[in-house]
Amino acid sequence: FPCPTLAAAMAAKRGTDEMRDRVVLSEFGVRNVHTTDFPGNYPGYEDAWDQRRFEEAFRVDIIREEEGALEFDMVGIDAAIANAFRRILLAEVPTMAVEKVFVYNNTSIVQDEILAHRLGLIPIRADPRLFEYRNQGDEEGTEIDTLQFQLKIKCSRNPQAAKESSDPNELYFNHKVYSKHMTWIPLGNQTDLFPDADFRPVHDDILIALLRPGQEIDVLMHCVKGIGKDHAKFSPVATASYRLLPDITLLQPVEDEAAEKLQKCFSPGVIEIQNIKGKKVARVANARLDTFSREVFRHEGLKNLVRLARVRNHYIFSVESTGILPPDVLVSEAIKILMGKCQRFLNELDSVPVE
């Protein structure tokens, strides 16, 4: 028989391991939400930061990559680092967007300032790494810091339309102003600088305004390089978020009707039912798919059979690009920006005299 003292020590270690490695979701709250792995906090644990140990534990796994969307796991980091990546993706990776709108004629029902705001939010397919930031106060753009677009369109009647028709698509020409009507006007020697460039809106079917016969829009736009911290129109992502990896543990066998009820408490694919010796037995198939609605806690007969937790250092990132740059490029650019921040911090430390 095991020694009671040894058994108590092993139970204490399991509790400590859970506190360090798992965020536990209970019926009325969440436990172990704070990072506690700092040196000396737990006797017997070596929690001083070590580069070799970090490099062995850290990894990045690409889970799903599609056009415009990327899902990847970042394992072995602290929440502060994960959040730094998220914030950089949202607010510090630069893009090109409409900054100045010169209105020569606008007789549509859309006011000038609303029209300018709409144009600013249209994502522009242009690699920001090819351009420089425009100097503050510069009124005139140059070929190295500005992209120029023109939107000139006028609505007119269709003389061949049927008299009894009430369909605007048949009655009028150019009554819908789309982003595809924006045309790039090269500045300076941009034609030579970018011979293969195809600067245009990411999507051609963004509706800007509706016109009626005689109404006209004639504007010139200047796109400049900027970051989401200055204005949301410069943000390169539609969403950039992360969540901790779910960890679902069945504390005892769940069979027959209870197994079927348990399966319905989780997202599809999380719990599967196996047929073992004529009995339906529940097992955790893929905890990653769960959204943690905690529906299981509503059932008295089930809530004590399951432990819901999240792995503290395993982050599932989802990055959805607006189409300006592919999501994998956005992630690599965010990493470069974070590395630059760290290098500047180290340089500051080196430059400060030590008393």
Side-chain angles (χ1 to χ4, degrees):
F1 296 97
C3 172
T5 306
L6 179 60
M10 292 176 63
K13 186 178 185 305
R14 284 195 299 271
T16 303
D17 288 341
E18 179 184 284
M19 190 181 302
R20 287 160 48 85
D21 301 334
R22 296 291 187 271
V23 176
V24 180
L25 285 80
S26 60
E27 185 176 2
F28 298 109
V30 184
R31 303 198 312 271
N32 309 339
V33 294
H34 301 292
T35 301
T36 56
D37 53 347
F38 48 85
N41 192 42
Y42 299 108
Y45 289 88
E46 180 53 56
D47 283 325
W49 192 84
D50 180 74
Q51 182 173 344
R52 181 189 58 81
R53 192 165 63 237
F54 170 78
E55 290 176 354
E56 289 176 353
F58 177 74
R59 74 176 195 272
V60 176
D61 302 325
I62 305 297
I63 304 301
R64 177 175 55 87
E65 187 172 6
E66 302 170 353
E67 185 181 0
L70 177 69
E71 182 180 323
F72 65 94
D73 290 1
M74 196 174 282
V75 185
I77 58 171
D78 189 73
I81 305 298
N83 200 42
F85 280 119
R86 184 188 67 84
R87 291 173 67 96
I88 289 172
L89 281 167
L90 287 169
E92 296 189 53
V93 176
T95 63
M96 302 291 289
V98 174
E99 176 71 6
K100 291 183 179 292
V101 178
F102 302 93
V103 181
Y104 294 104
N105 193 9
N106 176 24
T107 55
S108 72
I109 62 169
V110 182
Q111 296 97 328
D112 292 354
E113 59 271 25
I114 303 300
L115 179 63
H117 183 260
R118 285 189 179 187
L119 294 170
L121 293 175
I122 295 174
I124 304 298
R125 180 164 288 167
D127 193 335
R129 296 170 292 184
L130 301 174
F131 298 90
E132 303 293 334
Y133 287 101
R134 185 190 278 196
N135 293 324
Q136 194 170 8
D138 283 0
E139 291 295 329
E140 296 295 327
T142 64
E143 62 269 13
I144 63 169
D145 61 24
T146 303
L147 274 177
Q148 185 173 251
F149 285 87
Q150 185 182 43
L151 176 60
K152 189 172 184 178
I153 189 168
K154 185 174 183 178
C155 180
S156 59
R157 292 187 181 276
N158 179 9
Q160 298 178 351
K163 290 184 178 181
E164 66 275 5
S165 175
S166 60
D167 182 6
N169 294 315
E170 186 180 346
L171 290 172
Y172 314 125
F173 291 130
N174 297 327
H175 77 289
K176 289 185 177 180
V177 183
Y178 287 108
S179 52
K180 66 182 178 183
H181 295 124
M182 294 170 57
T183 55
W184 173 45
I185 309 296
L187 272 174
N189 64 340
Q190 283 184 340
T191 307
D192 299 325
L193 285 174
F194 314 111
D196 301 322
D198 183 24
F199 299 132
R200 58 185 178 84
V202 172
H203 305 286
D204 291 334
D205 58 349
I206 298 174
L207 184 64
I208 299 172
L210 291 175
L211 302 181
R212 285 298 179 263
Q215 294 182 351
E216 180 182 2
I217 292 178
D218 184 5
V219 298
L220 198 66
M221 294 158 273
H222 281 184
C223 298
V224 301
K225 186 175 180 178
I227 58 176
K229 189 185 293 185
D230 295 330
H231 195 288
K233 67 185 177 185
F234 292 110
S235 183
V237 293
T239 58
S241 62
Y242 63 80
R243 60 190 178 100
L244 291 173
L245 177 71
D247 178 43
I248 301 172
T249 306
L250 299 183
L251 303 178
Q252 64 186 66
V254 183
E255 301 173 347
D256 299 328
E257 290 183 10
E260 293 179 350
K261 187 184 290 186
L262 181 72
Q263 186 181 42
K264 294 177 182 178
C265 291
F266 293 91
S267 302
V270 174
I271 302 293
E272 74 172 13
I273 297 177
Q274 295 178 319
N275 197 319
I276 300 177
K277 296 181 180 179
K279 286 187 175 182
K280 296 178 179 179
V281 181
R283 66 174 287 270
V284 180
N286 189 355
R288 182 190 185 91
L289 300 175
D290 196 40
T291 57
F292 276 171
S293 64
R294 294 195 273 191
E295 169 70 17
V296 68
F297 291 128
R298 297 181 61 193
H299 303 276
E300 285 294 331
L302 297 177
K303 65 181 181 181
N304 295 322
L305 306 180
V306 183
R307 188 196 72 165
L308 303 184
R310 290 188 182 270
V311 182
R312 183 187 293 279
N313 68 345
H314 190 133
Y315 296 87
I316 301 172
F317 275 84
S318 297
V319 179
E320 183 181 333
S321 171
T322 56
I324 297 171
L325 288 173
D328 57 324
V329 174
L330 294 179
V331 172
S332 64
E333 289 298 306
I335 292 172
K336 291 176 185 176
I337 291 170
L338 183 59
M339 290 169 63
K341 287 175 176 284
C342 295
Q343 190 58 54
R344 285 197 300 274
F345 180 65
L346 292 174
N347 293 340
E348 287 291 330
L349 290 179
D350 292 339
S351 64
V352 175
V354 180
E355 297 181 358

PDB file of all heavy atoms in Angstrom, residues 23 28 42 58-59 63 78 91 101 135 138 179 187 195-196 200 219 242 248 257 270 341:
ATOM      1  N   VAL A  23      -6.186  26.479 -16.953  1.00  0.00           N
ATOM      2  CA  VAL A  23      -7.220  27.412 -16.500  1.00  0.00           C
ATOM      3  C   VAL A  23      -8.511  26.602 -16.433  1.00  0.00           C
ATOM      4  O   VAL A  23      -8.963  26.069 -17.450  1.00  0.00           O
ATOM      5  CB  VAL A  23      -7.374  28.590 -17.474  1.00  0.00           C
ATOM      6  CG1 VAL A  23      -8.517  29.493 -17.046  1.00  0.00           C
ATOM      7  CG2 VAL A  23      -6.075  29.374 -17.571  1.00  0.00           C
ATOM      8  N   PHE A  28     -19.575  28.281 -11.706  1.00  0.00           N
ATOM      9  CA  PHE A  28     -19.834  29.676 -11.356  1.00  0.00           C
ATOM     10  C   PHE A  28     -18.602  30.566 -11.454  1.00  0.00           C
ATOM     11  O   PHE A  28     -18.604  31.671 -10.932  1.00  0.00           O
ATOM     12  CB  PHE A  28     -20.403  29.761  -9.932  1.00  0.00           C
ATOM     13  CG  PHE A  28     -21.713  29.044  -9.771  1.00  0.00           C
ATOM     14  CD1 PHE A  28     -21.781  27.866  -9.040  1.00  0.00           C
ATOM     15  CD2 PHE A  28     -22.856  29.519 -10.382  1.00  0.00           C
ATOM     16  CE1 PHE A  28     -22.985  27.199  -8.898  1.00  0.00           C
ATOM     17  CE2 PHE A  28     -24.060  28.857 -10.243  1.00  0.00           C
ATOM     18  CZ  PHE A  28     -24.136  27.694  -9.498  1.00  0.00           C
ATOM     19  N   TYR A  42       6.781  28.293  -6.272  1.00  0.00           N
ATOM     20  CA  TYR A  42       6.461  26.913  -5.916  1.00  0.00           C
ATOM     21  C   TYR A  42       7.747  26.183  -5.537  1.00  0.00           C
ATOM     22  O   TYR A  42       8.653  26.067  -6.367  1.00  0.00           O
ATOM     23  CB  TYR A  42       5.793  26.180  -7.084  1.00  0.00           C
ATOM     24  CG  TYR A  42       4.491  26.800  -7.518  1.00  0.00           C
ATOM     25  CD1 TYR A  42       4.402  27.487  -8.724  1.00  0.00           C
ATOM     26  CD2 TYR A  42       3.354  26.679  -6.732  1.00  0.00           C
ATOM     27  CE1 TYR A  42       3.210  28.047  -9.136  1.00  0.00           C
ATOM     28  CE2 TYR A  42       2.155  27.238  -7.139  1.00  0.00           C
ATOM     29  CZ  TYR A  42       2.088  27.920  -8.326  1.00  0.00           C
ATOM     30  OH  TYR A  42       0.917  28.475  -8.725  1.00  0.00           O
ATOM     31  N   PHE A  58       9.016  25.967 -27.173  1.00  0.00           N
ATOM     32  CA  PHE A  58       8.260  26.848 -28.073  1.00  0.00           C
ATOM     33  C   PHE A  58       8.108  26.213 -29.460  1.00  0.00           C
ATOM     34  O   PHE A  58       9.041  25.630 -30.004  1.00  0.00           O
ATOM     35  CB  PHE A  58       8.979  28.187 -28.208  1.00  0.00           C
ATOM     36  CG  PHE A  58       8.291  29.131 -29.171  1.00  0.00           C
ATOM     37  CD1 PHE A  58       7.119  29.770 -28.811  1.00  0.00           C
ATOM     38  CD2 PHE A  58       8.819  29.366 -30.431  1.00  0.00           C
ATOM     39  CE1 PHE A  58       6.484  30.624 -29.688  1.00  0.00           C
ATOM     40  CE2 PHE A  58       8.194  30.227 -31.316  1.00  0.00           C
ATOM     41  CZ  PHE A  58       7.026  30.859 -30.937  1.00  0.00           C
ATOM     42  N   ARG A  59       6.917  26.355 -30.029  1.00  0.00           N
ATOM     43  CA  ARG A  59       6.693  25.893 -31.403  1.00  0.00           C
ATOM     44  C   ARG A  59       5.499  26.627 -32.001  1.00  0.00           C
ATOM     45  O   ARG A  59       4.639  27.150 -31.287  1.00  0.00           O
ATOM     46  CB  ARG A  59       6.482  24.382 -31.459  1.00  0.00           C
ATOM     47  CG  ARG A  59       5.138  23.890 -30.967  1.00  0.00           C
ATOM     48  CD  ARG A  59       4.971  22.391 -31.150  1.00  0.00           C
ATOM     49  NE  ARG A  59       3.606  21.958 -31.012  1.00  0.00           N
ATOM     50  CZ  ARG A  59       3.042  21.612 -29.866  1.00  0.00           C
ATOM     51  NH1 ARG A  59       3.757  21.633 -28.748  1.00  0.00           N
ATOM     52  NH2 ARG A  59       1.772  21.223 -29.839  1.00  0.00           N
ATOM     53  N   ILE A  63      -2.263  25.238 -38.714  1.00  0.00           N
ATOM     54  CA  ILE A  63      -3.403  24.317 -38.683  1.00  0.00           C
ATOM     55  C   ILE A  63      -4.231  24.411 -39.963  1.00  0.00           C
ATOM     56  O   ILE A  63      -4.573  23.393 -40.567  1.00  0.00           O
ATOM     57  CB  ILE A  63      -4.298  24.618 -37.462  1.00  0.00           C
ATOM     58  CG1 ILE A  63      -3.469  24.545 -36.163  1.00  0.00           C
ATOM     59  CG2 ILE A  63      -5.475  23.639 -37.414  1.00  0.00           C
ATOM     60  CD1 ILE A  63      -2.815  23.201 -35.916  1.00  0.00           C
ATOM     61  N   ASP A  78       3.900  33.188 -23.056  1.00  0.00           N
ATOM     62  CA  ASP A  78       3.056  33.797 -22.028  1.00  0.00           C
ATOM     63  C   ASP A  78       1.935  34.611 -22.694  1.00  0.00           C
ATOM     64  O   ASP A  78       2.034  34.992 -23.861  1.00  0.00           O
ATOM     65  CB  ASP A  78       3.912  34.705 -21.136  1.00  0.00           C
ATOM     66  CG  ASP A  78       3.139  35.202 -19.924  1.00  0.00           C
ATOM     67  OD1 ASP A  78       2.909  34.390 -19.012  1.00  0.00           O
ATOM     68  OD2 ASP A  78       2.765  36.378 -19.907  1.00  0.00           O
ATOM     69  N   ALA A  91      -2.998  46.897 -35.056  1.00  0.00           N
ATOM     70  CA  ALA A  91      -2.746  48.333 -35.003  1.00  0.00           C
ATOM     71  C   ALA A  91      -1.387  48.797 -35.488  1.00  0.00           C
ATOM     72  O   ALA A  91      -1.173  50.008 -35.602  1.00  0.00           O
ATOM     73  CB  ALA A  91      -2.942  48.824 -33.552  1.00  0.00           C
ATOM     74  N   VAL A 101      -9.140  63.236 -50.017  1.00  0.00           N
ATOM     75  CA  VAL A 101     -10.085  63.158 -51.128  1.00  0.00           C
ATOM     76  C   VAL A 101     -10.337  64.577 -51.633  1.00  0.00           C
ATOM     77  O   VAL A 101     -10.802  65.441 -50.881  1.00  0.00           O
ATOM     78  CB  VAL A 101     -11.414  62.498 -50.689  1.00  0.00           C
ATOM     79  CG1 VAL A 101     -12.397  62.476 -51.855  1.00  0.00           C
ATOM     80  CG2 VAL A 101     -11.175  61.091 -50.174  1.00  0.00           C
ATOM     81  N   ASN A 135       5.632  62.492 -44.985  1.00  0.00           N
ATOM     82  CA  ASN A 135       6.026  63.410 -43.921  1.00  0.00           C
ATOM     83  C   ASN A 135       4.827  64.246 -43.485  1.00  0.00           C
ATOM     84  O   ASN A 135       4.025  64.688 -44.321  1.00  0.00           O
ATOM     85  CB  ASN A 135       7.158  64.337 -44.381  1.00  0.00           C
ATOM     86  CG  ASN A 135       8.444  63.571 -44.637  1.00  0.00           C
ATOM     87  OD1 ASN A 135       8.764  62.616 -43.932  1.00  0.00           O
ATOM     88  ND2 ASN A 135       9.185  63.982 -45.656  1.00  0.00           N
ATOM     89  N   ASP A 138       3.066  67.493 -45.337  1.00  0.00           N
ATOM     90  CA  ASP A 138       3.218  67.502 -46.794  1.00  0.00           C
ATOM     91  C   ASP A 138       1.852  67.526 -47.458  1.00  0.00           C
ATOM     92  O   ASP A 138       1.016  66.654 -47.216  1.00  0.00           O
ATOM     93  CB  ASP A 138       3.989  66.268 -47.269  1.00  0.00           C
ATOM     94  CG  ASP A 138       5.479  66.394 -47.008  1.00  0.00           C
ATOM     95  OD1 ASP A 138       5.884  67.441 -46.463  1.00  0.00           O
ATOM     96  OD2 ASP A 138       6.229  65.454 -47.336  1.00  0.00           O
ATOM     97  N   SER A 179     -16.548  50.149 -56.337  1.00  0.00           N
ATOM     98  CA  SER A 179     -15.101  50.349 -56.169  1.00  0.00           C
ATOM     99  C   SER A 179     -14.335  50.046 -57.451  1.00  0.00           C
ATOM    100  O   SER A 179     -13.229  50.552 -57.642  1.00  0.00           O
ATOM    101  CB  SER A 179     -14.584  49.471 -55.020  1.00  0.00           C
ATOM    102  OG  SER A 179     -14.984  48.124 -55.190  1.00  0.00           O
ATOM    103  N   LEU A 187       1.653  58.585 -60.344  1.00  0.00           N
ATOM    104  CA  LEU A 187       2.299  59.843 -59.968  1.00  0.00           C
ATOM    105  C   LEU A 187       3.768  59.777 -60.361  1.00  0.00           C
ATOM    106  O   LEU A 187       4.433  58.776 -60.116  1.00  0.00           O
ATOM    107  CB  LEU A 187       2.199  60.068 -58.462  1.00  0.00           C
ATOM    108  CG  LEU A 187       0.965  60.777 -57.903  1.00  0.00           C
ATOM    109  CD1 LEU A 187       1.010  60.772 -56.388  1.00  0.00           C
ATOM    110  CD2 LEU A 187       0.881  62.207 -58.406  1.00  0.00           C
ATOM    111  N   PRO A 195       6.403  48.576 -62.899  1.00  0.00           N
ATOM    112  CA  PRO A 195       5.924  48.207 -64.249  1.00  0.00           C
ATOM    113  C   PRO A 195       4.871  47.101 -64.230  1.00  0.00           C
ATOM    114  O   PRO A 195       4.015  47.051 -65.123  1.00  0.00           O
ATOM    115  CB  PRO A 195       7.198  47.749 -64.965  1.00  0.00           C
ATOM    116  CG  PRO A 195       8.134  47.346 -63.849  1.00  0.00           C
ATOM    117  CD  PRO A 195       7.822  48.253 -62.703  1.00  0.00           C
ATOM    118  N   ASP A 196       4.921  46.218 -63.233  1.00  0.00           N
ATOM    119  CA  ASP A 196       3.976  45.095 -63.178  1.00  0.00           C
ATOM    120  C   ASP A 196       2.889  45.300 -62.128  1.00  0.00           C
ATOM    121  O   ASP A 196       2.160  44.364 -61.792  1.00  0.00           O
ATOM    122  CB  ASP A 196       4.719  43.785 -62.883  1.00  0.00           C
ATOM    123  CG  ASP A 196       5.774  43.482 -63.935  1.00  0.00           C
ATOM    124  OD1 ASP A 196       5.505  43.752 -65.114  1.00  0.00           O
ATOM    125  OD2 ASP A 196       6.860  42.981 -63.558  1.00  0.00           O
ATOM    126  N   ARG A 200      -5.218  48.603 -57.119  1.00  0.00           N
ATOM    127  CA  ARG A 200      -6.667  48.716 -57.261  1.00  0.00           C
ATOM    128  C   ARG A 200      -7.312  48.311 -55.943  1.00  0.00           C
ATOM    129  O   ARG A 200      -6.641  47.763 -55.060  1.00  0.00           O
ATOM    130  CB  ARG A 200      -7.165  47.807 -58.379  1.00  0.00           C
ATOM    131  CG  ARG A 200      -6.813  46.337 -58.186  1.00  0.00           C
ATOM    132  CD  ARG A 200      -7.228  45.495 -59.371  1.00  0.00           C
ATOM    133  NE  ARG A 200      -6.858  44.088 -59.210  1.00  0.00           N
ATOM    134  CZ  ARG A 200      -7.561  43.189 -58.556  1.00  0.00           C
ATOM    135  NH1 ARG A 200      -8.697  43.543 -57.971  1.00  0.00           N
ATOM    136  NH2 ARG A 200      -7.159  41.937 -58.472  1.00  0.00           N
ATOM    137  N   VAL A 219     -13.981  62.752 -58.182  1.00  0.00           N
ATOM    138  CA  VAL A 219     -13.060  62.972 -57.054  1.00  0.00           C
ATOM    139  C   VAL A 219     -11.695  62.388 -57.389  1.00  0.00           C
ATOM    140  O   VAL A 219     -11.551  61.482 -58.209  1.00  0.00           O
ATOM    141  CB  VAL A 219     -13.585  62.329 -55.746  1.00  0.00           C
ATOM    142  CG1 VAL A 219     -14.897  62.945 -55.317  1.00  0.00           C
ATOM    143  CG2 VAL A 219     -13.722  60.824 -55.887  1.00  0.00           C
ATOM    144  N   TYR A 242      -7.147  35.273 -30.526  1.00  0.00           N
ATOM    145  CA  TYR A 242      -6.591  34.002 -30.063  1.00  0.00           C
ATOM    146  C   TYR A 242      -7.456  33.460 -28.936  1.00  0.00           C
ATOM    147  O   TYR A 242      -8.214  34.203 -28.301  1.00  0.00           O
ATOM    148  CB  TYR A 242      -5.135  34.143 -29.605  1.00  0.00           C
ATOM    149  CG  TYR A 242      -4.924  35.055 -28.420  1.00  0.00           C
ATOM    150  CD1 TYR A 242      -5.159  34.623 -27.112  1.00  0.00           C
ATOM    151  CD2 TYR A 242      -4.469  36.358 -28.588  1.00  0.00           C
ATOM    152  CE1 TYR A 242      -4.960  35.452 -26.028  1.00  0.00           C
ATOM    153  CE2 TYR A 242      -4.256  37.201 -27.505  1.00  0.00           C
ATOM    154  CZ  TYR A 242      -4.503  36.743 -26.231  1.00  0.00           C
ATOM    155  OH  TYR A 242      -4.318  37.570 -25.154  1.00  0.00           O
ATOM    156  N   ILE A 248     -10.716  18.901 -22.238  1.00  0.00           N
ATOM    157  CA  ILE A 248     -11.914  18.298 -21.631  1.00  0.00           C
ATOM    158  C   ILE A 248     -11.560  16.908 -21.131  1.00  0.00           C
ATOM    159  O   ILE A 248     -11.028  16.083 -21.884  1.00  0.00           O
ATOM    160  CB  ILE A 248     -13.062  18.223 -22.658  1.00  0.00           C
ATOM    161  CG1 ILE A 248     -13.403  19.633 -23.162  1.00  0.00           C
ATOM    162  CG2 ILE A 248     -14.289  17.559 -22.057  1.00  0.00           C
ATOM    163  CD1 ILE A 248     -14.390  19.644 -24.306  1.00  0.00           C
ATOM    164  N   GLU A 257     -27.668   6.523 -22.116  1.00  0.00           N
ATOM    165  CA  GLU A 257     -28.411   7.772 -22.274  1.00  0.00           C
ATOM    166  C   GLU A 257     -27.591   8.975 -21.813  1.00  0.00           C
ATOM    167  O   GLU A 257     -27.654  10.050 -22.414  1.00  0.00           O
ATOM    168  CB  GLU A 257     -29.735   7.717 -21.492  1.00  0.00           C
ATOM    169  CG  GLU A 257     -30.755   6.758 -22.080  1.00  0.00           C
ATOM    170  CD  GLU A 257     -32.065   6.796 -21.308  1.00  0.00           C
ATOM    171  OE1 GLU A 257     -32.221   7.697 -20.451  1.00  0.00           O
ATOM    172  OE2 GLU A 257     -32.936   5.952 -21.573  1.00  0.00           O
ATOM    173  N   VAL A 270     -16.902  17.148 -30.757  1.00  0.00           N
ATOM    174  CA  VAL A 270     -16.107  17.134 -29.524  1.00  0.00           C
ATOM    175  C   VAL A 270     -16.226  15.780 -28.823  1.00  0.00           C
ATOM    176  O   VAL A 270     -15.223  15.171 -28.447  1.00  0.00           O
ATOM    177  CB  VAL A 270     -16.551  18.275 -28.576  1.00  0.00           C
ATOM    178  CG1 VAL A 270     -15.814  18.172 -27.234  1.00  0.00           C
ATOM    179  CG2 VAL A 270     -16.279  19.619 -29.224  1.00  0.00           C
ATOM    180  N   LYS A 341      10.816  46.236 -31.741  1.00  0.00           N
ATOM    181  CA  LYS A 341      10.519  46.848 -30.447  1.00  0.00           C
ATOM    182  C   LYS A 341      11.488  46.351 -29.373  1.00  0.00           C
ATOM    183  O   LYS A 341      11.986  47.134 -28.547  1.00  0.00           O
ATOM    184  CB  LYS A 341       9.078  46.521 -30.029  1.00  0.00           C
ATOM    185  CG  LYS A 341       7.997  47.258 -30.805  1.00  0.00           C
ATOM    186  CD  LYS A 341       6.632  46.756 -30.381  1.00  0.00           C
ATOM    187  CE  LYS A 341       5.528  47.537 -31.052  1.00  0.00           C
ATOM    188  NZ  LYS A 341       5.345  48.861 -30.447  1.00  0.00           N
TER     189      LYS A 341
END
